Amino acid sequence: MVLSPFFFNFAQMKIIVSPNTFKGSLSAVVATDVIASELREMLNNSEIVTLPIADGGDGTAEILAQILHATEHRCCVHNPLMRPIDASYYVLPDGSTAIIGISSASGIALLQPSELNAMKTTTFGTGELMRCAVESGCRHLIVALGGSATCDGGTGLAQALGVRFYDRQNEEITTPLCGRKLTEIARYEKPKTLDSLKITVLCDAEATMYGPQGAAYVYAPQKGATPAQVKLLDDALRNYAAVLNRSLSDTIEKQRYTGAAGAAAAGLKALFEAELVSGAEWVLSHVGFEQQLIDADLVITGEGCVDSQSIAGKSLGTMLRYTSKYNVPMIVFCGKNELKEPIDGLNVLEITPKEMSLAQAMQCDVATDNLRRAVVECFR
């Protein structure tokens, strides 16, 4: 590894260690512990500040629960294919705010690769988690949308919360809605008991609800959709948007973040007046990243794969904006670097040996060893 010229004196530095999840192998908390433990052993005169982060993607609910001292609650819900599972939500000390990750009940990691089918998967289980939180007394739900296996526009979760959808024959659609059924929706009814519910949605994607840069075309292929199914899903989301727009002053598909989690963000915004925010911005604000950055000398982050999406709206790009503001250099350790051009202020270091297969590199113990070795090589 070759370091930039600013790495000349590690004595008495303030170093912020703030990695994201290495998807499929290391949680943000584990990655933070690995990096920080090696730094403290080698740089015992430096101040090491640990701030594990997330951007609304996988692991966000767990990270926030740790940061905000929330208590875990478990309940029986349904996975994306409506099989019963146990899933968690987290209640803050105020007793009225809950943190929910869509991946806990409706996540892609809950299914085998052969089971992925964005036409059939539903967010109904996430709605069940939200309902459990509401029934326990919570009136503010913080929902992290990353890692879903779905493209149902959030209709499944809305049904679980009591929203009723009707077809063109004015018959209620009683089975949990999924991507392929969005074309059947003609109207909906929302119970007034949900009017006082406040929902903050942490988004990890800036995709629109539909279109070439929309939920179906950008994300449905990784959820099992064929090219033909992507077109069907996009058309289905267009139909659903038209239904939602009848009761909105501003068309839903033009609003930022509405394509997140298979357009679940659009459904939450339109049906529940949810606030859609950048997950990365929200998390960094709540962990005090900018405040710690003011007198920092170096930031170390990490994630599984660094690519153009990492820079566009996700945690790495958001952190880079802050580090550039304060002229603080940043290192990112990653399993794979897919950036086509170098970026000022960002030193990207791959931790995976070139001869190692992806399957082997993603094993937790192997990824831990690779990360530890990379840190040592970088700072020795």
Side-chain angles (χ1 to χ4, degrees):
M1 298 177 182
V2 179
L3 301 182
S4 295
F6 64 76
F7 296 106
F8 60 89
N9 182 10
F10 296 126
Q12 299 181 338
M13 293 177 70
K14 177 180 178 181
I15 303 174
I16 301 174
V17 178
S18 196
N20 203 332
T21 297
F22 284 68
K23 191 172 182 179
S25 54
L26 299 177
S27 71
V29 172
V30 170
T32 299
D33 289 344
V34 170
I35 296 169
S37 63
E38 294 300 329
L39 292 179
R40 288 180 177 129
E41 185 173 330
M42 292 184 292
L43 312 174
N44 52 24
N45 290 324
S46 291
E47 178 187 0
I48 310 299
V49 178
T50 56
L51 299 174
I53 59 159
D55 54 19
D58 288 348
T60 296
E62 292 76 13
I63 292 293
L64 290 178
Q66 181 182 57
I67 295 167
L68 303 176
H69 309 291
T71 303
E72 182 180 14
H73 293 250
R74 293 186 67 79
C75 57
C76 183
V77 297
H78 291 86
N79 80 356
L81 292 176
M82 292 302 291
R83 293 194 292 261
I85 58 169
D86 285 333
S88 298
Y89 66 95
Y90 304 87
V91 178
L92 269 59
D94 64 9
S96 63
T97 304
I99 305 167
I100 295 163
I102 196 170
S103 60
S104 182
S106 310
I108 200 166
L110 298 174
L111 303 179
Q112 296 296 321
S114 60
E115 294 179 314
L116 295 176
N117 188 333
M119 298 286 284
K120 296 181 178 180
T121 47
T122 178
T123 56
F124 191 86
T126 296
E128 292 176 305
L129 267 184
M130 296 169 72
R131 187 178 68 213
C132 288
V134 170
E135 290 173 349
S136 74
C138 295
R139 301 308 298 173
H140 179 200
L141 306 183
I142 300 168
V143 184
L145 286 190
S148 80
T150 56
C151 194
D152 71 350
T155 52
L157 70 83
Q159 284 177 304
L161 285 169
V163 177
R164 295 184 174 185
F165 293 92
Y166 297 85
D167 62 21
R168 290 175 178 78
Q169 286 71 48
N170 207 32
E171 295 288 335
E172 183 180 358
I173 303 170
T174 55
T175 56
L177 281 159
C178 56
R180 64 183 173 84
K181 291 186 177 181
L182 297 182
T183 54
E184 300 176 14
I185 299 173
R187 68 180 186 91
Y188 66 89
E189 292 178 355
K190 173 189 166 186
K192 293 190 179 297
T193 53
L194 297 175
D195 288 346
S196 62
L197 185 63
K198 178 183 177 181
I199 301 177
T200 302
V201 180
L202 309 185
C203 304
D204 71 337
E206 295 190 6
T208 54
M209 186 177 181
Y210 60 73
Q213 300 303 313
Y217 278 99
V218 176
Y219 297 109
Q222 68 193 46
K223 302 175 183 183
T226 65
Q229 289 172 335
V230 166
K231 174 66 166 61
L232 292 172
L233 288 166
D234 191 70
D235 290 343
L237 287 169
R238 289 173 186 270
N239 175 73
Y240 184 41
V243 173
L244 294 174
N245 284 337
R246 292 176 198 148
S247 58
L248 300 175
S249 58
D250 186 16
T251 53
I252 190 65
E253 68 273 11
K254 294 181 180 179
Q255 298 184 44
R256 192 179 184 189
Y257 302 122
T258 50
L268 287 164
K269 174 71 173 178
L271 297 171
F272 304 102
E273 298 182 6
E275 180 187 14
L276 308 186
V277 300
S278 160
E281 288 279 9
W282 197 95
V283 172
L284 288 173
S285 172
H286 281 74
V287 302
F289 181 76
E290 185 172 11
Q291 183 178 2
Q292 289 286 354
L293 192 61
I294 292 171
D295 61 346
D297 298 293
L298 175 66
V299 172
I300 300 175
T301 186
E303 57 185 73
C305 178
V306 174
D307 56 19
S308 58
Q309 287 191 20
S310 305
I311 306 300
K314 300 215 173 195
S315 61
L316 183 57
T318 306
M319 293 171 75
L320 184 60
R321 191 168 69 250
Y322 283 116
T323 56
S324 298
K325 175 181 177 181
Y326 292 98
N327 198 29
V328 178
M330 181 162 62
I331 298 173
V332 53
F333 292 106
C334 64
K336 189 174 185 181
N337 177 15
E338 294 188 348
L339 289 176
K340 299 188 185 308
E341 299 288 340
I343 295 175
D344 289 343
L346 187 66
N347 290 260
V348 183
L349 305 178
E350 287 191 359
I351 68 171
T352 308
K354 294 189 182 301
E355 69 278 3
M356 184 174 289
S357 69
L358 177 62
Q360 183 181 1
M362 290 185 66
Q363 294 175 22
C364 181
D365 57 341
V366 175
T368 299
D369 289 342
N370 286 343
L371 180 57
R372 181 176 290 112
R373 182 175 57 253
V375 173
V376 171
E377 290 179 1
C378 180
F379 288 92
R380 67 184 175 187

